[in-house]
Amino acid sequence: MDFSKNFEKTVQTFIKEFLSSHSHLSDEKVVHEIDDTKIAQLQKMGIPQKGRPLDLVVREMTEDIYAYGHNSAHPRYMGFIPGPASPLSWFGDIMTNAYNRHAGSWANYPGEYCVEQELIQWLCQQAGFPNTAGGTFVSGGSMANLTAVTVARDKMLPEELWPQGVAYVSEQTHSSVAKGLRIIGISNHRIRKIPTDGQFRMDIDQLRKAIKEDRAKGLAPFLVIASAGTTNTGSIDPFAEIHAICKQHNLWMHVDGAFGASMLLSHEYKKELQGIELADSLSWDAHKWLFQTYGCGIILMKDRTNMVNSFHVHPEYLKDLEDENNFVNPWDTSIELTRPARGVKLWFTLQVMGSDAISDAITHGIQCAKWAEAEIQKNSLIEIVSPAQMAVINFRYNPSHLSEAQKNELNKKISQKIIDSGFAGVFTTELEGKKVLRMCTIHPDTTREDILNTIQLLNRYYEELIRNEEYNPKSPNNHCLDTKPEFHAAKAM
């Protein structure tokens, strides 16, 4: 395939420009909106019958395709769970894709297999799992949770009881868990949403009650999903108490740690996850708080043979690649047959950075949320709905003269204004029926100044909105200030 005589030069130019833009990321807007004209242009491009020059197509991709949307790698993007990928992971991804090894079996990628399995065992050790533990790399938390609930069903329920199987989640459990349960045949009416306590953790008494009621109905409880860092609040469920209940009732205990399990690598805060070693399985996303490019999820099992029991097959066309060295092929431990060597870029990142640097970066994210909380507490009009924990904080502007509906609308508008400004990404979520502003501060390059300026800008938008007649009927002629300052004006605060 003759792409271009200048292929090498084009690639070198792209890499140079990409790294330059990455180093100046904080000077860019957090969100670049795409307009209708550009959308129409992209939709009409079509597929050419004859190829076009490589450098032209690369330029179109960088300027017309990748340039738009939410930049979750930005230091001031604090919405959802950001994806602050390290350049090292990006480089590891380039190498993995360049060699393009089929990473389903030992025979296809023996070297990569060795380092992936070494890394899996090291991660198991960080979680406190025994020598029987193992795991594999998957595309993300959704696939990790699907893998875990499949193994739990196969281990804990005979097939004839699958229609009676019941699983227990909390009100704050990530939606991917329920999706995975439905895929394996556990319908919504057999997924119990357990209420949470004042700290947004699974209510243990309610869990006990629900299990007892389901047993009395002749159903078959088999699985409890705890969370190590919920998406909304960063809350950590009480692992020891949940494990005791699981042991009493012979249930599988899975921990969804897609976001928060990375705190296991923080020297200072690892203790916050005490009890996670009691889990039967653990999901963990390296493309969240371990700073990897997307597509790097992990599923760990206390007993790796349970994975093989669920996923090992013997098709005739794979006989030549059966285990000859007592190695377990990755295609026998997960849903995927064909898979890339997802874990190699994480291994590469850790080799270059060292685990201490990763620990410092995770600890910094937690400190950023504490800086935010300290600044928020200076404003008596702000209610902290969920305090800083695991780099997440939730709060809302709470003027006493407004109704709850007005407060919800006010906070929604404040979020939209700061997003529109391009300065920071602060989105909303709902807790206890309240629309709240949520900041997730896991980016290692986020500075204290970034945090303080973001809070101050939120305060400014509150002041502008509250003077509007919609929220201040006593002053109908009061006009707002300019509510869409230029990005660089906001940055200069």
Side-chain angles (χ1 to χ4, degrees), residues 375 418 421 423 449-461 464 485-493:
E375 185 67 14
I418 199 167
S421 78
F423 182 74
E449 183 182 33
D450 287 330
I451 297 294
L452 300 185
N453 285 342
T454 297
I455 302 299
Q456 289 167 15
L457 190 55
L458 290 170
N459 287 339
R460 174 181 170 180
Y461 289 136
E464 292 175 359
E486 291 298 321
F487 165 72
H488 289 293
K491 188 176 185 298
M493 289 181 60

Side-chain angles (χ1 to χ4, degrees), residues 272-447:
E272 301 292 332
L273 294 179
Q274 185 173 355
I276 200 170
E277 70 279 359
L278 301 171
D280 294 296
S281 54
L282 170 65
S283 58
W284 189 344
D285 274 357
H287 58 231
K288 290 188 170 73
W289 217 354
L290 293 184
F291 319 114
Q292 299 302 291
T293 53
Y294 285 124
C296 192
I298 307 158
I299 178 65
L300 303 179
M301 296 272 171
K302 183 173 288 184
D303 184 349
R304 57 182 173 267
T305 61
N306 289 320
M307 302 177 72
V308 177
N309 292 339
S310 285
F311 301 114
H312 184 41
V313 293
H314 300 271
E316 68 283 354
Y317 53 84
L318 296 180
K319 293 297 183 181
D320 291 343
L321 297 178
E322 287 292 340
D323 174 15
E324 296 178 356
N325 299 290
N326 294 320
F327 294 120
V328 177
N329 288 322
W331 60 38
D332 290 326
T333 59
S334 72
I335 296 166
E336 295 176 298
L337 180 63
T338 304
R339 62 186 291 275
R342 295 190 178 93
V344 174
K345 59 188 175 185
L346 176 57
W347 179 88
F348 176 79
T349 302
L350 286 163
Q351 292 297 314
V352 177
M353 289 184 64
S355 60
D356 285 350
I358 294 289
S359 170
D360 292 344
I362 293 168
T363 299
H364 173 75
I366 297 170
Q367 180 60 58
C368 283
K370 292 184 177 181
W371 285 332
E373 183 174 42
E375 185 67 14
I376 288 166
Q377 288 174 335
K378 296 177 182 178
N379 189 338
S380 61
L381 291 170
I382 301 180
E383 172 193 6
I384 295 178
V385 180
S386 177
Q389 55 183 340
M390 204 178 276
V392 178
I393 183 168
N394 291 273
F395 57 98
R396 69 169 183 164
Y397 289 84
N398 188 33
S400 58
H401 68 282
L402 297 186
S403 68
E404 285 300 307
Q406 287 177 312
K407 291 175 184 177
N408 289 342
E409 185 65 21
L410 172 65
N411 283 277
K412 181 179 179 180
K413 288 184 176 181
I414 292 171
S415 169
Q416 191 58 57
K417 284 184 176 297
I418 199 167
I419 293 167
D420 288 346
S421 78
F423 182 74
V426 179
F427 295 79
T428 66
T429 189
E430 293 185 10
L431 294 173
E432 299 177 335
K434 303 172 182 177
K435 182 78 71 174
V436 300
L437 298 165
R438 174 184 170 280
M439 294 173 65
C440 180
T441 60
I442 65 174
H443 201 298
D445 294 334
T446 304
T447 65

Side-chain angles (χ1 to χ4, degrees), residues 26 56 248 324:
S26 62
L56 174 61
Q248 177 185 356
E324 296 178 356

Side-chain angles (χ1 to χ4, degrees), residues 255-268:
V255 171
D256 180 7
F259 159 47
S262 293
M263 205 160 67
L264 289 167
L265 303 189
S266 168
H267 301 324
E268 184 173 350

